[in-house]
Amino acid sequence: MDTNATLKAHLLELEERLLQPAVRTSVEELSALLDDGFFEFGSSGAVWYRQEGLHAEGIGIVNMTLSDFEIHPLSPDTTLTTYRIFNENKQQYSLRSSIWRYREGRWQMFFHQGTPVPE
């Protein structure tokens, strides 16, 4: 398996972990996956910062399906991921992008954006 395919599989696994209830409700798990400086432009239009938004109950449970996952390396230690999400609760698709940075032996999400897809 080539390096890009290995990186793609690993980052897909991390993105999918962020959708799992056990991870989304664990401050410890979220702290391992989200960079200290993490921020998000949500599909709701809200801006969310890790240092302000990470509570004892985590970030809430979602019921979403990820598809069309791609990676776009920006440097040896920074990669943009892009994909589609289907929110089963809202019955809505959105386009997603994340910036992952490799620091101290692990990949962490630094930025995320969700953009609703018009019906």
Side-chain angles (χ1 to χ4, degrees):
M1 185 179 283
D2 70 31
T3 304
N4 256 5
T6 302
L7 178 59
K8 182 178 179 179
H10 182 64
L11 292 177
L12 174 58
E13 177 187 334
L14 295 179
E15 291 277 8
E16 289 178 329
R17 284 185 63 207
L18 282 166
L19 298 177
Q20 298 172 1
V23 172
R24 294 182 67 84
T25 57
S26 168
V27 172
E28 183 177 311
E29 290 279 343
L30 290 167
S31 295
L33 290 168
L34 302 178
D35 185 89
D36 288 342
F38 173 82
F39 66 106
E40 172 180 322
F41 295 157
S43 60
S44 66
V47 180
W48 187 83
Y49 296 91
R50 178 185 169 203
Q51 68 269 24
E52 298 166 359
L54 196 54
H55 303 287
E57 66 277 0
I59 58 175
I61 297 174
V62 296
N63 195 9
M64 297 182 175
T65 305
L66 187 154
S67 63
D68 301 327
F69 185 80
E70 295 296 334
I71 65 168
H72 312 274
L74 302 174
S75 73
D77 63 355
T78 307
T79 298
L80 171 70
T81 62
T82 57
Y83 52 96
R84 290 174 58 93
I85 284 284
F86 180 67
N87 183 321
E88 296 176 24
N89 299 335
K90 295 179 181 179
Q91 294 293 297
Q92 180 182 28
Y93 284 95
S94 59
L95 300 176
R96 302 293 176 124
S97 60
S98 304
I99 296 176
W100 290 85
R101 298 193 307 190
Y102 190 76
R103 302 277 190 274
E104 299 175 9
R106 66 180 175 188
W107 286 94
Q108 288 187 302
M109 187 183 288
F110 176 74
F111 172 77
H112 182 76
Q113 179 167 353
T115 304
V117 176
E119 305 217 14

